Amino acid sequence: MTIRIYIDWSGDPGFKFRQGSSELLVIATLMTDEELSLNGLRFKLSLPEDYEFHFAKTNRHIREEFRNFIHNELEIPAVVVLRADKQRFSVTMREKRGEQIIADLITHCIVNLPFELLQNSTLYYDGEKEQLSFKNTLRTTLSQALRQQVFLRAIKAVSASRNDGLQIADMLAGFIRNDTSAIRSSMVKVIHYPD
């Protein structure tokens, strides 16, 4: 059994709030032991098979149907969504590079997933191509946090347009970014950062 971890985020790691940086950075992490498919939901909504669920680009009706899908049909062993208020970050955190901030927040999510399921898992994040600098930063940060107790099989950048697991992560991040009470599922753990 190969565990897959899908990660996507909403917002950016910048601090130039008056120039467009987001006040919130939301990381959604979900863990599953099977390939996730949204084809049934696409069919129900009469959407094309290649339709990409992307929170910022979907209309209110599709969002509501997707939220109903999360509440009533989606079965995932674990979901952690971290909602970071960047205006409350420490000076130390603000001094870090953007890649390191995202890696730190992803790691904070990962360590809150069921530890026994992490072993030998593959982590997927939304990316059009392998960004080696970010991938190396993430791998190093995860290794330091997990020490040698957990081995991750691989860390891969995959386009969300071709991956339903990443599309679910994107939608979860969007829902929690807009309203922390939007998702009322026992499988979703919401973390406020800094707490």
Side-chain angles (χ1 to χ4, degrees):
M1 173 176 72
T2 300
I3 295 292
R4 298 171 177 89
I5 302 170
Y6 297 104
I7 299 171
D8 202 359
W9 54 89
S10 175
D12 61 79
F15 295 98
K16 296 179 180 176
F17 300 115
R18 292 183 181 167
Q19 298 169 355
S21 292
S22 64
E23 293 181 12
L24 297 173
L25 177 55
V26 179
I27 311 282
T29 308
L30 57 100
M31 172 184 274
T32 182
D33 58 358
E34 60 187 6
E35 194 69 41
L36 296 172
S37 174
L38 293 170
N39 288 338
L41 183 59
R42 288 185 184 97
F43 179 79
K44 177 182 175 184
L45 296 173
S46 300
L47 297 169
E49 289 182 7
D50 62 348
Y51 179 84
E52 179 183 357
F53 290 96
H54 189 290
F55 190 87
K57 296 177 183 175
T58 58
N59 66 40
R60 189 176 55 81
H61 170 70
I62 292 175
R63 287 180 185 177
E64 281 305 309
E65 289 294 330
F66 201 98
R67 185 163 61 165
N68 290 337
F69 168 77
I70 291 171
H71 287 143
N72 302 317
E73 297 178 46
L74 188 63
E75 292 183 23
I76 298 177
V79 178
V80 174
V81 182
L82 184 143
R83 191 173 192 264
D85 181 349
K86 296 188 311 184
Q87 295 191 51
R88 296 181 53 223
F89 278 12
S90 66
V91 173
T92 305
M93 191 70 157
R94 286 175 178 249
E95 290 174 346
K96 294 182 179 183
R97 294 180 355 265
E99 286 182 348
Q100 186 63 62
I101 290 170
I102 292 175
D104 285 354
L105 297 178
I106 287 173
T107 300
H108 199 71
C109 289
I110 297 293
V111 299
N112 278 281
L113 290 169
F115 210 67
E116 66 278 6
L117 297 178
L118 287 174
Q119 189 68 29
N120 210 28
S121 58
T122 300
L123 186 151
Y124 300 90
Y125 64 92
D126 184 20
E128 290 296 327
K129 58 184 171 114
E130 293 289 355
Q131 302 124 330
L132 288 179
S133 176
F134 174 68
K135 184 176 177 179
N136 291 336
T137 299
L138 181 57
R139 181 176 293 286
T140 300
T141 306
L142 284 167
S143 295
Q144 290 169 349
L146 300 173
R147 311 213 181 263
Q148 294 181 350
Q149 299 167 339
V150 173
F151 169 76
L152 295 179
R153 177 183 296 195
I155 297 175
K156 298 181 178 183
V158 178
S159 173
S161 64
R162 297 187 307 271
N163 187 288
D164 286 353
L166 291 174
Q167 290 177 42
I168 294 169
D170 175 274
M171 294 295 285
L172 284 166
F175 281 122
I176 299 299
R177 179 178 180 176
N178 287 324
D179 178 6
T180 54
S181 65
I183 304 297
R184 293 196 172 105
S185 172
S186 59
M187 71 181 170
V188 179
K189 178 179 182 177
V190 178
I191 298 172
H192 295 273
Y193 183 94
D195 41 14

